[in-house]
Amino acid sequence: MLATARRRAPAAAWAVTAALALAALALAGCGGQRPAPAVQITHSSAYLPVPQAGTTVAYVTISNGGSTADRLVAARISVGGHIALRAPDGAGGTGMHTISTIPIPAHSTVALKPDGYHLLITSTGPLHGGRDVRLTLVFARAGPVSVLAQPTNPQTGGSTILFN
């Protein structure tokens, strides 16, 4: 038995060495770097007005630097509550309706804004101006992405990303 174990050890070592060499060649074929993921979701800004009667909205700018389109499928907020994805009823219309996804095309930026796609937040816990809350945006391909937003009150001097 000892002789059999000694013969297997060099074969196992050779297999590990060969696997490492193949991995190094694969990386060298990519310029020494791993290929970039097809979907690269980032954000640049988020705005959240202080709620009136337990309801507010969130506006986020979402950038997809990847080569594959994605979809925003859900969102959560650190202070609890329910978030619905919203879209306008039609061109020039003032009504809104709930939708199941927001498309995020490849190599593009989508701005969630008052007259377009946005997040409707209801039944939240306390939100106070000047205290950050975390929005977690959930994408079909990229998965969850966290965004910090500071609730502001533009009527009392708080700024907004939309109008500055």
Side-chain angles (χ1 to χ4, degrees), residues 68-128:
T68 303
D70 206 342
R71 296 179 330 274
L72 178 63
V73 296
R76 299 184 296 269
I77 188 166
S78 61
V79 293
H82 176 73
I83 298 181
L85 309 178
R86 303 285 282 177
D89 281 335
T94 57
M96 295 285 171
H97 65 279
T98 299
I99 56 176
S100 59
T101 66
I102 296 175
I104 312 296
H107 303 294
S108 69
T109 298
V110 174
L112 280 56
K113 54 189 179 179
D115 60 349
Y117 295 122
H118 63 274
L119 306 176
L120 177 66
I121 305 170
T122 56
S123 305
T124 67
L127 289 170
H128 304 288

